[in-house]
Structure formats: structure tokens, C-alpha cells
Amino acid sequence: MDHRTSHNWKLLILAGAIVSLLAWPGTSEAQTVTGQASAVQASVLGITTTLADSGTLGGTSDARDASGLTGRIPSLLRGEALHAATIGYPDEVDSEASLTNLGMTVAGTGISADFVMSRAFAVLGGSSTGFTNIDGLSIGGAPVFPTGAPNQTLLFGVLRVVLNEQIPSADGITVNALHVRTIDGLTDVVIGSAKAGVSSSGSTSGGDGGILPPLPLPPLF
């Protein structure tokens, strides 16, 4: 057998192996992901405004982000270096949101912070986690020191302030770094919101058991 004939046989064997691999019965699970992040979400008298909103993930290999050097909602707040990002993997979603130099006035009470950030992580079959960083927080001219505990709630007159707000769901978690709301509900402001979720929507069987899932995107952080 000459070299060319040997080479052709090797190609045929390799092709046969690939066909067999693709035809091998396999079971895979279809994943559904949810992910979104925003630097600011504000609702005043029924009018909602968002700043640096990533939008929602479109699938397990999607990534979305939004940013701004500065952001402002007249008569309510201002901030700098606004950032929001969310990324999906076949079995995981990571989201984060942040801003710096926050200045805000709600119901006559001034609120400021040097840095605000939230992060949310969801893993298929595992627990969802989240955390926040809030530096230099001041409310009504007095310094406030976050404990790091989830859902630390403070009352300032007609304001209800929640630090490191964590809202679990069936498939993940939403983490709001700073949530300020008037008691009457007419003003509701969330600074640094990150949402992450992933779930399995069932299994499928067929001839694609030998196909490897796509390579994940580079790490978000």
C-alpha cells in the first residue's frame, strides 16, 4: 500500500469515527438563563428612568454591557463611571453593576457615596450568591457603615433604605446595592442592580450526544 492510499484510508476511518460519534445517542439539558444589570433604576411619580442598563441576556453564550462617563436624572441624582454587565455560559450567569461619586436627594434627604457596586452569580444545580460594596456612604449628612449582611434596612424619616438587598428567585438572585424608597412609594430608586439566573428546561435525546458544548466566553470579571 503506497503512502497516498494509506493517507486516504486514514481519512475514511477518521470520517467514520466522526459520523459514529455524532450518531451516538445522547442526552442533553436545555438551559434557560436570565441576566441583567443596571447602574440606576429610578421611578418617580410613575415615570421610570434607567441609566447604564445592560438589557437582558439572549442566551447561554450572550454577553451585554452598558456604561457612561456620567449620568444624571434632573432634581434626583447624579453619578460617574456608570457600568453594567451580564454574561451567560452554558451553566452559569454572572452580572455586575457599579458607579462612583453618587449624589442623590430624595424627599429632601441627601444621600451620597464614593462607590457603589453589586454582583450576582447563578450556577446550574448550585446555589446563587451575591454581594455588594458601598464605600463612603452618607445619608442626611451622617456617615452610614454597611454591615455586609443581606437586606440591612434603615429608616430616615419618610425614607426606607435597604443596603445589600438580596431577592432570591426559583432560578437565581437579584442583588441591589442601595435601594431607597419613600414610604408612600412615589419615589423608588435602586443604585447598582445585578440579576442572574439559570435553570434547566428539560432534557433532549438524539444523535448529537457526541457534540461538545460551545466554549464559554472569557470571564466577566
Side-chain angles (χ1 to χ4, degrees):
M1 182 180 296
D2 60 26
H3 176 72
R4 178 175 297 179
T5 302
S6 174
H7 178 68
N8 289 340
W9 272 107
K10 290 178 181 178
L11 290 177
L12 289 173
I13 293 172
L14 178 60
I18 293 174
V19 171
S20 298
L21 184 62
L22 294 178
W24 189 267
T27 300
S28 62
E29 291 187 341
Q31 274 75 50
T32 299
V33 297
T34 55
Q36 187 171 6
S38 62
V40 176
Q41 299 176 10
S43 178
V44 180
L45 300 176
I47 299 176
T48 300
T49 304
T50 60
L51 301 177
D53 189 333
S54 70
T56 58
L57 282 178
T60 57
S61 60
D62 191 18
R64 297 174 182 264
D65 68 275
S67 62
L69 292 177
T70 62
R72 180 181 179 85
I73 300 177
S75 303
L76 182 64
L77 64 82
R78 56 174 174 76
E80 299 178 0
L82 287 75
H83 163 74
T86 183
I87 186 168
Y89 300 92
D91 60 354
E92 181 178 348
V93 174
D94 302 335
S95 302
E96 69 176 18
S98 64
L99 58 72
T100 65
N101 296 327
L102 171 68
M104 176 167 56
T105 301
V106 181
T109 300
I111 301 172
S112 62
D114 296 332
F115 178 69
V116 179
M117 183 187 71
S118 65
R119 283 183 172 178
F121 307 92
V123 178
L124 184 66
S127 60
S128 300
T129 58
F131 65 89
T132 63
N133 286 345
I134 304 176
D135 297 331
L137 178 62
S138 175
I139 301 178
V144 175
F145 302 98
T147 64
N151 305 309
Q152 179 186 355
T153 303
L154 308 170
L155 297 177
F156 294 87
V158 298
L159 297 185
R160 181 177 183 269
V161 180
V162 182
L163 310 180
N164 191 22
E165 184 176 45
Q166 300 199 7
I167 306 170
S169 62
D171 64 348
I173 191 170
T174 298
V175 181
N176 299 321
L178 176 62
H179 190 174
V180 180
R181 185 176 185 271
T182 56
I183 294 176
D184 58 16
L186 295 180
T187 300
D188 193 319
V189 183
V190 175
I191 307 298
S193 180
K195 179 179 181 180
V198 58
S199 63
S200 173
S201 56
S203 61
T204 58
S205 298
D208 61 350
I211 299 178
L212 297 176
L215 293 175
L217 296 173
L220 176 63
F221 312 115

